[in-house]
Amino acid sequence: MLSDEAITRIADELVEAGRTRTPVERLTARFPEMTVEDSYRVQNLWRQRSEENGRRLAGRKIGLTSRAMQMATGITEPDYGIIFDDMILENGCEVVWDRYTHPRVEVELAFKLGQDISGPGATIFDVLDATEYVVPALEILDSRVQMEGRTIVDTISDNAAMGAMVVGGNPVRPQDVDLRWVAAILYKNQVVEETGVGAGVLNHPAAGVYWLANKIAAHGDGLKAGEIILAGSFTRPMWVYQGDTVLADYGPMGTVTCRFV
């Protein structure tokens, strides 16, 4: 494990990298002994620094839950990060492209919780019971750590590459739709770039949510009513550039879109 001094230095570097949009050198290149536990220590301290600067926790994101994402990244286990309220954008918004570093877009479902979920031992039934509604979303990935050669340790330290999310479409109660068969078509500038179905996320989008509840229980934490949980992408990440328009069509669940300016 890294020393507390090293964890503090890394967290402060990442805060500054987010401010300047200048990624830091890959952490595992500088600290090859760094572990997954170290990376969550960095993420937790980064969260504290952000909250000290006035940011407010709004939810969590789960990443690397689908084979599509695992194949795209070479990383084979899920991770999680923090969603602050200033990361949640409205459907149809304009997104300032150069606010992010290496922005990419993924197609996901977001779970808005109406009840707390606590682990260990949380199940898919706990998630479905606790969910007020599920809504389409786009995740905008950001990178405060250099991307080439990065591992799950780098990604977790970088808040699981969370940049922002766009929420749209039609909210539905989880019992009113088969979430495994929710499908989406992802367009960039009116061209179909990706397609996918919800079952691509651990065989059921809710599976990542109970995985997260059980994972953070080990740290005395839990998922709270009112939080929004991004359940993981069922498409590969799509690069976006200034001037691009992105639209995800979820069929009966509606569409979610944004434009990068």
Side-chain angles (χ1 to χ4, degrees):
M1 292 178 61
L2 297 184
S3 67
D4 290 344
E5 292 77 10
I7 296 295
T8 299
R9 184 166 70 252
I10 294 168
D12 289 341
E13 283 184 6
L14 293 174
V15 170
E16 182 65 9
R19 187 188 68 81
T20 63
R21 315 301 173 200
T22 304
V24 302
E25 184 183 354
R26 181 167 54 88
L27 302 178
T28 46
R30 292 183 287 154
F31 304 97
E33 74 278 21
M34 194 173 180
T35 66
V36 167
E37 185 176 347
D38 288 328
S39 63
Y40 279 118
R41 290 169 63 205
V42 169
Q43 185 188 120
N44 288 336
L45 185 54
W46 174 85
R47 171 186 172 179
Q48 291 176 29
R49 294 282 193 266
S50 299
E51 290 175 332
E52 289 165 0
N53 290 329
R55 304 181 82 178
R56 185 179 65 84
L57 178 70
R60 322 290 178 111
K61 69 151 285 185
I62 310 160
L64 306 175
T65 53
S66 69
R67 287 293 293 166
M69 282 303 300
Q70 290 175 0
M71 294 293 288
T73 61
I75 299 169
T76 57
E77 62 178 303
D79 64 2
Y80 65 87
I82 297 299
I83 300 174
F84 289 115
D85 57 353
D86 59 5
M87 294 176 169
I88 302 176
L89 309 178
E90 293 185 0
N91 198 9
C93 64
E94 290 189 339
V95 181
V96 179
W97 181 83
D98 60 10
R99 183 179 175 182
Y100 304 97
T101 305
H102 305 300
R104 293 160 292 157
V105 170
E106 296 175 347
V107 168
E108 310 202 17
L109 291 173
F111 288 66
K112 181 65 180 295
L113 301 184
Q115 303 172 31
D116 296 354
I117 306 174
S118 299
T123 69
I124 192 169
F125 304 109
D126 296 319
V127 175
L128 297 177
D129 287 343
T131 299
E132 183 177 353
Y133 58 79
V134 181
V135 65
L138 298 170
E139 181 181 358
I140 300 170
L141 297 176
D142 199 5
S143 181
R144 291 146 295 252
V145 176
Q146 289 179 351
M147 293 187 61
E148 185 174 355
R150 59 194 280 163
T151 70
I152 192 168
V153 169
D154 299 287
T155 302
I156 293 169
S157 301
D158 192 20
N159 195 37
M162 178 68 187
M165 61 182 291
V166 184
V167 179
N170 304 317
V172 298
R173 294 179 301 177
Q175 61 267 35
D176 292 341
V177 63
D178 185 347
L179 296 174
R180 295 183 69 251
W181 285 100
V182 170
I185 306 168
L186 181 62
Y187 295 82
K188 181 170 72 173
N189 302 326
Q190 294 79 53
V191 175
V192 175
E193 297 286 348
E194 293 285 340
T195 61
V197 296
V201 178
L202 296 174
N203 198 40
H204 195 295
V209 183
Y210 76 78
W211 171 87
L212 176 60
N214 292 329
K215 185 80 171 178
I216 65 178
H219 304 287
D221 203 354
L223 305 179
K224 305 300 183 185
E227 290 187 352
I228 192 163
I229 312 297
L230 266 179
S233 177
F234 46 92
T235 63
R236 295 174 299 179
M238 179 181 74
W239 293 96
V240 289
Y241 300 91
Q242 202 163 20
D244 286 342
T245 297
V246 173
L247 181 141
D249 184 351
Y250 286 75
M253 289 186 68
T255 62
V256 55
T257 184
C258 66
R259 180 171 179 266
F260 289 85
V261 299

